C-alpha cells in the first residue's frame, strides 16, 4: 500500500478546516532538497523537501537530536544548507532577516533591557525611532497580557511570561514567518496549555506562517494544520500529516473524540513511517 | 496522554476532587500558581538585611588594628616583627593633622589624583576597546594575547628606566606606568566578559535585524558590562600602586613622591602617612567606581 493510499484511508477528508479571517499572502516557505552536513557521520538534515503555504501552522515533530532545530535554522538563516535551498516568498535565504521572527527554547530575552525595550528592539533595528518602537512594543505587550511588566527586567518574570515576551518580541517587526523551537518545552503542563491556546489566537490574528518544533505529539496535534515528522538519526522527513480538527481550538479539544482520533492516526502513521524508514535504512546499508 | 490534557479534563468536568467547581479555575490557577512573579527585591539574607552590623564590625576591626599598632609601638615590641622604630599612631596622627594644615600636602594629593584620572581614563578606554576587539576577533586576540601575557608580570617599578628613555617628559612617563598597570585587569576582564556572551542573544538580535555595530552596542557590550565594571574596579586599585612606582621619577609633587621623599629623608611619620593616604585614596576611588557602575547593572539584581 502506498503512503498516499494509507493516508487517504487513515485520515478524514478535508473540508472541516478552519477559515482564516483573511488569506495571508506572505510567508510562503519552500525547503527544496535541503541537506545539512556538520561533518559528522551522517547528515543532520537529509534531503528535506517541504513546502509551507502562507498562514499555515506546521509542527515539526521528531525525537531529540533528529535535526529539527537544524532544519528550522536553515529557514531562520542561521545555518546554510550544504545542498539544496530554502526560499521564503521566492527569496533564497542565506542570513537571518526581519521577515522571520524567532522564538527560542531557552530564555533569550536580553536581561539588561526592560521588557518593553526587549520588544521594542526589532522596530528599533528596523529604523523606527525609540518612541514609535516603544509604542509598538506596548501594544504587543498588551496583546500577550504583560503591560504591567513593561518597565521590569526579564529576570523577575516566570518562565511562561518570559516566553510570552519572547513571542511579542518576535512579532514586533510583523514578520511573515514565525519560527518557534520548542518554545514551551521548559514550561509546566498548565502554563503550557494556556500558552498553546494563546499562541493559536495570536496566529489567527496575525495570519502568519508558523513553524513550530516540538517532540510532543499532543502539542503538535493540538496546534498544527500539518504535522511534519522527522525520523531519528539520518534527519529525514518521513511523514506529512494534515490535522483537520476544527478551529478555533480551545484547550477542551484534547478531550474530544476527533482529537483522540487524529492523534491516534498520527501515531499510527508515525509508527508505520518509522518502520518503513528503518527498513529502508537496513536494506540500503 | 500528557499531563496537559488531564489538567484540561478536570476543567471540563467542572469539579475538583473536593467537589468545588473550577470552570474558571484553569486560567486563574495558571496566573496564580505557575505564573508567580519573583518579589521585586530578592529576600535578603539575615546579614545583608542589617548592613549597619557589618559596618560596625568593619569599623571595630580598624580600631582594633590601630590599638594593636599603638600597643606594639609604645612598648617597643620586637618579636619577629620589630616595632622599635615604628612611630605610634598618636605621633602619626599629630603629624597628619599638621600636614592637613599645609597647602603642600593637598598639592601632593591633587597632583596624584589628576594623574590617576588621566591614566585610569586612558587604561579604561583602551582596555575596554582592546578587550572587545580581542573577544570578537580571533586574529586580534592571537596578535595581542602573547604581549599581554609577557608584559603583565613585569612590576611597575621595572618600567621606570625604559619609560624615562622612551617617553618625552617625566609626566608622560608617570602616566604611562600608571596606565599600564590599570590596563591589564581592564582588558582581561573585558575579554572574559565578551567571550562569555551567549550566542543565543546574538542570534536573537540578528533575527530582529541587528547589524554588527548594533550587536556590539546592544548585546556584546551590555552582556560584558558586569565583567568590565569589576575589571575597572580592580584596575583602579592597581593604578594607585603603579602610581607609587611611577612617582619615583617625579621631581616635586604627588603622594607617591611625598612617600619616597620621606623615605630618603628618614621621616618615619611621613612614610606611614604617605602609605595610608594612598591606601585611603585607592579604597575611596575603587568604591566610587563601584557606585558609578551600579545604575548600569541594576538588571543583574533581578537575575538571581
Ligand atoms: N553546529 C553544529 N555543529 C555540529 N553538529 C551539530 C551542530 N548543530 C547540531 N548538530 C548535530 O546535528 C544533529 C541534529 O541536531 P539538532 O539540534 O538539529 O536536533 P534536534 O532535533 O533539534 O534535537 P533536540 O530535540 O534535542 O533539540 C545532532 O546530532 C547534533 O549533534
Ligand atoms: Mg533542537
Amino acid at each position: 500500500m502506498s503512503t498516499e493510499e494509507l493516508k487517504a484511508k487513515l485520515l478524514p477528508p478535508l473540508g472541516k478546516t478552519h477559515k482564516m479571517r483573511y488569506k495571508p499572502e506572505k510567508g510562503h516557505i519552500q525547503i527544496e532538497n535541503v541537506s545539512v552536513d556538520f561533518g559528522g557521520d551522517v547528515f543532520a538534515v537529509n534531503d528535506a523537501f517541504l513546502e509551507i503555504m502562507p498562514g499555515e501552522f506546521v509542527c515539526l515533530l521528531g525525537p531529540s537530536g533528529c535535526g529539527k532545530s537544524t532544519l528550522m535554522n536553515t529557514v531562520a538563516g542561521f545555518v546554510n544548507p550544504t545542498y539544496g535551498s530554502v526560499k521564503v516568498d521566492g527569496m533564497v535565504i542565506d542570513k537571518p532577516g526581519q521577515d522571520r521572527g524567532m522564538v527560542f527554547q531557552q530564555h533569550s530575552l536580553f536581561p539588561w533591557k526592560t521588557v518593553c525595550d526587549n520588544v521594542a528592539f526589532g522596530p528599533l533595528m528596523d529604523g523606527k525611532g525609540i518612541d514609535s518602537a516603544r509604542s509598538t512594543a506596548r501594544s504587543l505587550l498588551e496583546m500577550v497580557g504583560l503591560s504591567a511588566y513593561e518597565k521590569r527586567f526579564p529576570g523577575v518574570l516566570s518562565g511562561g511570561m518570559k516566553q510570552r515576551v519572547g513571542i511579542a518580541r518576535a512579532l514586533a517587526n510583523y514578520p511573515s514567518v514565525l519560527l518557534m523551537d520548542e518554545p514551551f518545552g521548559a514550561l509546566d503542563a498548565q502554563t503550557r496549555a494556556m500558552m498553546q491556546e494563546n499562541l493559536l489566537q495570536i496566529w489567527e490574528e496575525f495570519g502568519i506562517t508558523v513553524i513550530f518544533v516540538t517532540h510532543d505529539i499532543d502539542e503538535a496535534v493540538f496546534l498544527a494544520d500539518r504535522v511534519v515528522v522527522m525520523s531519528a538519526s539520518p534527519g529525514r522527513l518521513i511523514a506529512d500529516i494534515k490535522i483537520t480538527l476544527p478551529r478555533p481550538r480551545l484547550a477542551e479539544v484534547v478531550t474530544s473524540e476527533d482529537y483522540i482520533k487524529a492523534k491516534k492516526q498520527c501515531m499510527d502513521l508515525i509508527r508505520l513511517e518509522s518502520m518503513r524508514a528503518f527498513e529502508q535504512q537496513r536494506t540500503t546499508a | 496522554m500528557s499531563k496537559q490534557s488531564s489538567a484540561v479534563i478536570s476543567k471540563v468536568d467542572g469539579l475538583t476532587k473536593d467537589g468545588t467547581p473550577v470552570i474558571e479555575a484553569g486560567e486563574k490557577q495558571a496566573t496564580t500558581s505557575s505564573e508567580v512573579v519573583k518579589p521585586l527585591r530578592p529576600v535578603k539574607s539575615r546579614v545583608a538585611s542589617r548592613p549597619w552590623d557589618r559596618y560596625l564590625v568593619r569599623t571595630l576591626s580598624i580600631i582594633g588594628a590601630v590599638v594593636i599598632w599603638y600597643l606594639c609601638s609604645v612598648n617597643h615590641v620586637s618579636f619577629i616583627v620589630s616595632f622599635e622604630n615604628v612611630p605610634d599612631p598618636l605621633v602619626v596622627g599629630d603629624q597628619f593633622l599638621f600636614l592637613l594644615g599645609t597647602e603642600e600636602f593637598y598639592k601632593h594629593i591633587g597632583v596624584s589624583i589628576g594623574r590617576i584620572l588621566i591614566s585610569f581614563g586612558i587604561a579604561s578606554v583602551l582596555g575596554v576597546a582592546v578587550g572587545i576587539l580581542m573577544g570578537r576577533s580571533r586574529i586580534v586576540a592571537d596578535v595581542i594575547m602573547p604581549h599581554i601575557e609577557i608584559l603583565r608580570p613585569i612590576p611597575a617599578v621595572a618600567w621606570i628606566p625604559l619609560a624615562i628613555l622612551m617617553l618625552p617628559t617625566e609626566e608622560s612617563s608617570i602616566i604611562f606606568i600608571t596606565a599600564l598597570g590599570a590596563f591589564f585587569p581592564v582588558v582581561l576582564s573585558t575579554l572574559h566578559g565578551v567571550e562569555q556572551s551567549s550566542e543565543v542573544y546574538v542570534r536573537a538580535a540578528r533575527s530582529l535585524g541587528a547589524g554588527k555595530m548594533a550587536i556590539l552596542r546592544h548585546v556584546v557590550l551590555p552582556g560584558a558590562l558586569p565583567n568590565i565594571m569589576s575589571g575597572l574596579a580592580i584596575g583602579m586599585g592597581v593604578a594607585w600602586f603603579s602610581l607609587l612606582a611611577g612617582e619615583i621619577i617625579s621631581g616635586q609633587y604627588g603622594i607617591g613622591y611625598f612617600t619616597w621623599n620621606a623615605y630618603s629623608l628618614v621621616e618615619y611619620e611621613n612614610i606611614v602617612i604617605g602609605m595610608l593616604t594612598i591606601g585611603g585614596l585607592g579604597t575611596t576611588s575603587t568604591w566610587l567606581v563601584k557606585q558609578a557602575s551600579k545604575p548600569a547593572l541594576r538588571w543583574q539584581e533581578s537575575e538571581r
Side-chain angles (χ1 to χ4, degrees):
Chain A
M1 200 189 297
S2 81
T3 321
E4 279 311 310
E5 284 168 328
L6 189 102
K7 272 184 205 160
K9 201 177 150 202
L10 282 171
L11 298 172
L14 285 170
K16 265 172 109 183
T17 39
H18 169 66
K19 285 258 186 314
M20 295 274 186
R21 268 220 305 250
Y22 61 95
K23 199 166 162 49
E25 286 155 14
K26 289 197 147 184
H28 180 208
I29 302 171
Q30 291 158 291
I31 297 174
E32 288 170 350
N33 307 100
V34 165
S35 295
V36 178
D37 183 4
F38 282 127
D41 301 339
V42 289
F43 285 178
V45 173
N46 198 341
D47 202 25
F49 191 97
L50 184 64
E51 180 172 22
I52 299 173
M53 301 316 284
E56 258 189 319
F57 197 123
V58 171
C59 279
L60 202 53
L61 180 72
S64 189
C66 71
K68 305 181 295 293
S69 297
T70 307
L71 183 59
M72 168 171 285
N73 282 337
T74 63
V75 182
F78 296 128
V79 171
N80 284 327
T82 316
Y83 305 107
S85 70
V86 178
K87 289 184 204 147
V88 172
D89 296 325
M91 300 280 285
V92 175
I93 299 303
D94 59 356
K95 59 175 187 295
Q98 292 174 318
D99 56 331
R100 285 151 288 142
M102 279 289 292
V103 180
F104 300 84
Q105 170 167 17
Q106 342 72 308
H107 159 44
S108 73
L109 300 176
F110 308 123
W112 46 84
K113 285 184 184 288
T114 59
V115 165
C116 182
D117 283 351
N118 260 282
V119 181
F121 187 73
L124 193 66
M125 290 300 110
D126 198 28
K128 306 273 191 313
I130 185 69
D131 290 331
S132 120
R134 283 194 178 133
S135 81
T136 306
R138 286 196 193 98
S139 62
L140 283 159
L141 283 171
E142 200 174 315
M143 179 189 74
V144 296
L146 288 175
S147 293
Y149 295 90
E150 62 165 89
K151 294 207 173 70
R152 308 288 290 275
F153 287 105
V156 302
L157 303 182
S158 70
M161 291 166 134
K162 279 178 187 162
Q163 281 311 44
R164 268 145 71 192
V165 178
I167 292 169
R169 183 176 70 172
L171 291 172
N173 278 335
Y174 294 93
S176 48
V177 176
L178 186 62
L179 303 170
M180 310 182 81
D181 193 349
E182 298 186 41
F184 307 149
L187 304 181
D188 61 277
Q190 216 171 39
T191 311
R192 192 174 187 171
M194 193 182 67
M195 295 285 295
Q196 290 168 348
E197 227 176 288
N198 284 353
L199 174 62
L200 287 182
Q201 281 167 8
I202 290 169
W203 166 67
E204 289 186 25
E205 200 162 310
F206 276 68
I208 192 173
T209 308
V210 177
I211 304 185
F212 187 106
V213 166
T214 179
H215 49 231
D216 180 354
I217 189 166
D218 280 293
E219 184 166 65
V221 173
F222 176 72
L223 291 173
D225 291 324
R226 281 161 70 195
V227 176
V228 173
V229 184
M230 222 167 166
S231 77
S233 232
R236 284 181 185 280
L237 300 183
I238 54 168
D240 186 344
I241 305 160
K242 278 214 159 54
I243 305 294
T244 54
L245 290 172
R247 294 190 190 269
R249 292 180 199 163
L250 300 175
E252 285 79 12
V253 83
V254 298
T255 55
S256 72
E257 240 168 75
D258 282 350
Y259 173 87
I260 293 165
K261 212 154 71 188
K263 184 181 158 190
K264 189 174 174 335
Q265 285 164 345
C266 221
M267 286 167 82
D268 288 344
L269 198 58
I270 290 169
R271 192 176 315 122
L272 189 99
E273 291 295 334
S274 301
M275 266 155 60
R276 274 165 52 111
F278 180 73
E279 203 64 35
Q280 216 168 24
Q281 222 183 322
R282 218 176 44 172
T283 49
T284 52
Chain B
M1 198 170 279
S2 78
K3 282 190 224 154
Q4 161 214 329
S5 34
S6 57
V8 177
I9 286 170
S10 76
K11 192 170 146 188
V12 171
D13 288 348
L15 286 175
T16 52
K17 282 191 206 96
D18 56 359
T20 43
V22 284
I23 307 297
E24 298 271 281
E27 280 97 68
K28 269 263 178 61
Q29 276 173 7
T31 40
T32 52
S33 69
S34 49
E35 298 272 296
V36 180
V37 182
K38 286 182 213 162
L40 188 56
R41 266 164 243 279
V43 181
K44 288 174 179 165
S45 70
R46 205 184 66 86
V47 180
S49 69
R50 294 153 64 187
W52 291 110
D53 280 16
R54 303 193 64 193
Y55 287 124
L56 190 67
V57 172
R58 285 161 193 227
T59 311
L60 287 176
S61 166
I62 298 255
I63 292 172
V66 173
V67 168
I68 292 173
W69 169 21
Y70 176 79
L71 292 176
C72 289
S73 294
V74 295
N75 294 316
H76 300 290
V77 170
S78 183
F79 176 70
I80 304 178
V81 180
S82 168
F83 280 82
E84 301 268 3
N85 290 316
V86 176
D88 74 62
L90 293 181
V91 177
V92 172
D94 266 356
Q95 172 68 6
F96 186 57
L97 286 179
F98 164 75
L99 285 175
L100 287 181
T102 66
E103 216 171 284
E104 184 100 341
F105 190 64
Y106 295 101
K107 179 94 185 178
H108 285 303
I109 291 179
V111 166
S112 285
I113 291 179
R115 286 173 181 150
I116 286 286
L117 287 179
I118 296 171
S119 311
F120 182 72
I122 295 172
S124 313
V125 172
L126 278 183
V128 171
V130 173
I132 287 176
L133 282 175
M134 289 173 73
R136 298 300 287 170
S137 150
R138 186 183 296 169
I139 180 75
V140 174
D142 286 343
V143 167
I144 293 179
M145 202 59 193
H147 300 279
I148 291 184
E149 275 167 354
I150 292 169
L151 297 182
R152 193 163 65 107
I154 301 173
V157 211
W159 277 101
I160 292 172
L162 275 186
I164 293 172
L165 278 178
M166 294 168 73
L167 289 157
T169 61
E170 257 176 27
E171 198 57 31
S172 57
S173 305
I174 300 173
I175 300 286
F176 168 75
I177 291 171
T178 312
L180 190 68
F183 173 76
F184 293 117
V186 176
V187 73
L188 291 175
S189 304
T190 304
L191 173 62
H192 184 64
V194 172
E195 279 176 342
Q196 269 190 331
S197 75
S198 170
E199 187 57 27
V200 71
Y201 299 136
V202 175
R203 283 191 167 191
R206 289 220 295 152
S207 78
L208 291 165
K212 276 206 166 70
M213 286 314 287
I215 287 174
L216 202 63
R217 179 171 154 217
H218 292 278
V219 180
V220 176
L221 205 56
L225 207 58
N227 285 287
I228 292 175
M229 286 306 183
S230 71
L232 290 178
I234 298 168
M236 182 54 104
V238 179
W240 279 100
F241 78 69
S242 306
L243 179 79
L244 179 72
E247 284 185 344
I248 292 181
I249 315 169
S250 168
Q252 226 178 344
Y253 288 115
I255 193 68
Y257 165 78
F258 172 88
T259 312
W260 289 112
N261 198 41
Y263 179 60
S264 44
L265 299 176
V266 207
E267 293 168 350
Y268 293 124
E269 295 85 6
N270 284 357
I271 295 174
V272 176
I273 289 169
M275 289 166 66
L276 290 180
T277 306
I278 291 172
L281 289 172
T283 309
T284 311
S285 51
T286 303
W287 181 81
L288 284 175
V289 170
K290 283 186 184 158
Q291 293 305 308
S293 67
K294 270 198 177 153
L297 298 180
R298 217 161 42 86
W299 59 269
Q300 274 201 314
E301 289 167 23
S302 62
E303 281 297 290
R304 315 205 169 92

